[in-house]
Amino acid sequence: MNRKSITQEYFILVTNEQGNFPTMRKDETKSGIVVAGFMDLLSNDIITVEKKKITVIKELPYDLFHLTSLYTYLKEKTRSTDKLMSDYIASTSSRIKQLITELGESLFKDNIVTKGEGGLFGNKIVYIPEKNYKDNLIHAIKSAIAKEKEITPHDMTLIYILKETKNLYQYFSQYESEELKATLKELKKNPQNKQLKDMINYVSDITVIAMTCLFTSSN
């Protein structure tokens, strides 16, 4: 199948057949989009992070054009990871809406989602994942986990963002979930998986910041 960026694939996996995010985890799921965008930029060496300070060091490639608004925000001046999350997760922020629109439009252009009407008054554009593509993506993730020695940083990052935002285990049976937990634990402990461990640590750190900002903005 034609794999997409971490952010695009995360978006597909957390969006249901009505084009909505999980009702009980909507805010956490939205914060995961920002985490995924950050990780796409980091893993492609477009940004660097030192002592929580984010610096843009490369131009945005065409295949990540759906992250234009996030990239522009980071390029304006040096930002901290805390500032990034607080600016995007704030309840009044329009930045996350723009990022979601960019994601949806990029996937619509590639015929991976269709457009629908949503919102309380039906005046909101929603993006509905194509079922076949989503099913194939779920299968690809499960296959990656089964072949744990061959798992890529891309898949590991995606899996951990889904896990941290509580959007992962819905796709696994109880037995598969237990197997997955054991596999992730082993992968994290294995000293040969330094690159994967680094990705996991980045995801964990940035997600903690996101959840802290989310809690603060809701109080």
Side-chain angles (χ1 to χ4, degrees), residues 158-173:
L158 176 60
I159 288 165
Y160 257 82
I161 297 173
L162 289 166
K163 176 179 175 289
E164 295 293 332
T165 57
K166 297 179 174 60
N167 284 300
L168 179 61
Y169 294 112
Q170 61 185 310
Y171 297 117
F172 295 82
S173 66

mmCIF file of all heavy atoms in Angstrom, residues 158-173:
data_model
loop_
_atom_site.group_PDB
_atom_site.id
_atom_site.type_symbol
_atom_site.label_atom_id
_atom_site.label_comp_id
_atom_site.label_asym_id
_atom_site.label_seq_id
_atom_site.Cartn_x
_atom_site.Cartn_y
_atom_site.Cartn_z
ATOM 1 N N LEU A 158 4.351 6.019 15.151
ATOM 2 C CA LEU A 158 2.890 6.014 14.967
ATOM 3 C C LEU A 158 2.208 5.192 16.056
ATOM 4 O O LEU A 158 1.218 5.641 16.665
ATOM 5 C CB LEU A 158 2.558 5.452 13.585
ATOM 6 C CG LEU A 158 1.070 5.291 13.245
ATOM 7 C CD1 LEU A 158 0.353 6.635 13.297
ATOM 8 C CD2 LEU A 158 0.905 4.646 11.865
ATOM 9 N N ILE A 159 2.727 4.016 16.316
ATOM 10 C CA ILE A 159 2.145 3.130 17.332
ATOM 11 C C ILE A 159 2.155 3.799 18.706
ATOM 12 O O ILE A 159 1.161 3.760 19.439
ATOM 13 C CB ILE A 159 2.908 1.791 17.373
ATOM 14 C CG1 ILE A 159 2.590 0.966 16.121
ATOM 15 C CG2 ILE A 159 2.575 0.988 18.636
ATOM 16 C CD1 ILE A 159 3.550 -0.183 15.878
ATOM 17 N N TYR A 160 3.250 4.434 19.051
ATOM 18 C CA TYR A 160 3.343 5.044 20.378
ATOM 19 C C TYR A 160 2.467 6.286 20.524
ATOM 20 O O TYR A 160 1.939 6.548 21.612
ATOM 21 C CB TYR A 160 4.803 5.357 20.726
ATOM 22 C CG TYR A 160 5.358 4.334 21.692
ATOM 23 C CD1 TYR A 160 5.836 3.115 21.233
ATOM 24 C CD2 TYR A 160 5.355 4.546 23.064
ATOM 25 C CE1 TYR A 160 6.310 2.147 22.109
ATOM 26 C CE2 TYR A 160 5.826 3.594 23.952
ATOM 27 C CZ TYR A 160 6.297 2.400 23.470
ATOM 28 O OH TYR A 160 6.739 1.452 24.352
ATOM 29 N N ILE A 161 2.298 7.046 19.461
ATOM 30 C CA ILE A 161 1.387 8.204 19.549
ATOM 31 C C ILE A 161 -0.046 7.707 19.729
ATOM 32 O O ILE A 161 -0.813 8.250 20.536
ATOM 33 C CB ILE A 161 1.507 9.111 18.316
ATOM 34 C CG1 ILE A 161 2.913 9.694 18.215
ATOM 35 C CG2 ILE A 161 0.491 10.263 18.394
ATOM 36 C CD1 ILE A 161 3.186 10.463 16.931
ATOM 37 N N LEU A 162 -0.413 6.671 18.986
ATOM 38 C CA LEU A 162 -1.735 6.078 19.161
ATOM 39 C C LEU A 162 -1.900 5.550 20.590
ATOM 40 O O LEU A 162 -2.951 5.726 21.215
ATOM 41 C CB LEU A 162 -1.932 4.932 18.163
ATOM 42 C CG LEU A 162 -2.103 5.340 16.699
ATOM 43 C CD1 LEU A 162 -1.948 4.122 15.790
ATOM 44 C CD2 LEU A 162 -3.449 6.005 16.462
ATOM 45 N N LYS A 163 -0.861 4.924 21.103
ATOM 46 C CA LYS A 163 -0.908 4.372 22.465
ATOM 47 C C LYS A 163 -1.055 5.479 23.504
ATOM 48 O O LYS A 163 -1.902 5.392 24.402
ATOM 49 C CB LYS A 163 0.367 3.569 22.737
ATOM 50 C CG LYS A 163 0.497 3.021 24.155
ATOM 51 C CD LYS A 163 1.790 2.220 24.291
ATOM 52 C CE LYS A 163 2.011 1.758 25.729
ATOM 53 N NZ LYS A 163 2.363 2.897 26.623
ATOM 54 N N GLU A 164 -0.250 6.530 23.382
ATOM 55 C CA GLU A 164 -0.259 7.605 24.383
ATOM 56 C C GLU A 164 -1.565 8.390 24.373
ATOM 57 O O GLU A 164 -1.951 8.973 25.390
ATOM 58 C CB GLU A 164 0.919 8.555 24.138
ATOM 59 C CG GLU A 164 2.294 7.928 24.347
ATOM 60 C CD GLU A 164 2.565 7.554 25.788
ATOM 61 O OE1 GLU A 164 2.003 8.204 26.688
ATOM 62 O OE2 GLU A 164 3.313 6.597 26.025
ATOM 63 N N THR A 165 -2.261 8.429 23.228
ATOM 64 C CA THR A 165 -3.541 9.148 23.150
ATOM 65 C C THR A 165 -4.731 8.202 23.301
ATOM 66 O O THR A 165 -5.873 8.594 23.073
ATOM 67 C CB THR A 165 -3.653 9.909 21.808
ATOM 68 O OG1 THR A 165 -3.504 8.980 20.710
ATOM 69 C CG2 THR A 165 -2.596 10.993 21.701
ATOM 70 N N LYS A 166 -4.434 6.942 23.693
ATOM 71 C CA LYS A 166 -5.470 5.923 23.955
ATOM 72 C C LYS A 166 -6.303 5.615 22.712
ATOM 73 O O LYS A 166 -7.520 5.406 22.800
ATOM 74 C CB LYS A 166 -6.362 6.369 25.119
ATOM 75 C CG LYS A 166 -5.613 6.501 26.441
ATOM 76 C CD LYS A 166 -6.540 6.961 27.556
ATOM 77 C CE LYS A 166 -5.829 6.956 28.902
ATOM 78 N NZ LYS A 166 -4.658 7.842 28.951
ATOM 79 N N ASN A 167 -5.642 5.585 21.577
ATOM 80 C CA ASN A 167 -6.320 5.273 20.317
ATOM 81 C C ASN A 167 -5.782 4.006 19.657
ATOM 82 O O ASN A 167 -6.108 3.740 18.494
ATOM 83 C CB ASN A 167 -6.173 6.439 19.334
ATOM 84 C CG ASN A 167 -7.077 7.605 19.679
ATOM 85 O OD1 ASN A 167 -8.291 7.459 19.712
ATOM 86 N ND2 ASN A 167 -6.481 8.764 19.959
ATOM 87 N N LEU A 168 -4.989 3.228 20.383
ATOM 88 C CA LEU A 168 -4.332 2.078 19.776
ATOM 89 C C LEU A 168 -5.103 0.772 19.957
ATOM 90 O O LEU A 168 -5.362 0.046 18.989
ATOM 91 C CB LEU A 168 -2.923 1.917 20.357
ATOM 92 C CG LEU A 168 -2.110 0.722 19.842
ATOM 93 C CD1 LEU A 168 -1.889 0.819 18.343
ATOM 94 C CD2 LEU A 168 -0.765 0.630 20.570
ATOM 95 N N TYR A 169 -5.487 0.454 21.174
ATOM 96 C CA TYR A 169 -5.963 -0.891 21.481
ATOM 97 C C TYR A 169 -7.354 -1.191 20.931
ATOM 98 O O TYR A 169 -7.786 -2.353 20.944
ATOM 99 C CB TYR A 169 -5.900 -1.131 22.983
ATOM 100 C CG TYR A 169 -4.482 -1.156 23.501
ATOM 101 C CD1 TYR A 169 -3.996 -0.153 24.338
ATOM 102 C CD2 TYR A 169 -3.601 -2.160 23.105
ATOM 103 C CE1 TYR A 169 -2.686 -0.167 24.783
ATOM 104 C CE2 TYR A 169 -2.280 -2.179 23.545
ATOM 105 C CZ TYR A 169 -1.831 -1.179 24.378
ATOM 106 O OH TYR A 169 -0.535 -1.194 24.810
ATOM 107 N N GLN A 170 -8.047 -0.189 20.419
ATOM 108 C CA GLN A 170 -9.360 -0.433 19.813
ATOM 109 C C GLN A 170 -9.261 -1.350 18.592
ATOM 110 O O GLN A 170 -10.245 -1.976 18.188
ATOM 111 C CB GLN A 170 -10.003 0.892 19.406
ATOM 112 C CG GLN A 170 -9.199 1.665 18.374
ATOM 113 C CD GLN A 170 -9.795 3.017 18.069
ATOM 114 O OE1 GLN A 170 -10.987 3.113 17.796
ATOM 115 N NE2 GLN A 170 -8.989 4.074 18.124
ATOM 116 N N TYR A 171 -8.059 -1.423 18.003
ATOM 117 C CA TYR A 171 -7.870 -2.232 16.810
ATOM 118 C C TYR A 171 -7.342 -3.648 17.111
ATOM 119 O O TYR A 171 -7.057 -4.400 16.200
ATOM 120 C CB TYR A 171 -6.896 -1.529 15.857
ATOM 121 C CG TYR A 171 -7.423 -0.193 15.362
ATOM 122 C CD1 TYR A 171 -6.761 0.988 15.673
ATOM 123 C CD2 TYR A 171 -8.590 -0.125 14.608
ATOM 124 C CE1 TYR A 171 -7.258 2.213 15.228
ATOM 125 C CE2 TYR A 171 -9.084 1.083 14.168
ATOM 126 C CZ TYR A 171 -8.423 2.256 14.484
ATOM 127 O OH TYR A 171 -8.917 3.457 14.042
ATOM 128 N N PHE A 172 -7.242 -3.968 18.392
ATOM 129 C CA PHE A 172 -6.680 -5.256 18.779
ATOM 130 C C PHE A 172 -7.632 -6.003 19.706
ATOM 131 O O PHE A 172 -8.318 -5.392 20.533
ATOM 132 C CB PHE A 172 -5.343 -5.057 19.500
ATOM 133 C CG PHE A 172 -4.259 -4.477 18.630
ATOM 134 C CD1 PHE A 172 -4.178 -3.114 18.410
ATOM 135 C CD2 PHE A 172 -3.335 -5.312 18.017
ATOM 136 C CE1 PHE A 172 -3.186 -2.574 17.606
ATOM 137 C CE2 PHE A 172 -2.336 -4.781 17.208
ATOM 138 C CZ PHE A 172 -2.265 -3.409 16.997
ATOM 139 N N SER A 173 -7.658 -7.316 19.559
ATOM 140 C CA SER A 173 -8.416 -8.138 20.497
ATOM 141 C C SER A 173 -7.693 -8.116 21.845
ATOM 142 O O SER A 173 -6.561 -7.628 21.950
ATOM 143 C CB SER A 173 -8.499 -9.580 19.979
ATOM 144 O OG SER A 173 -7.198 -10.177 19.982
#
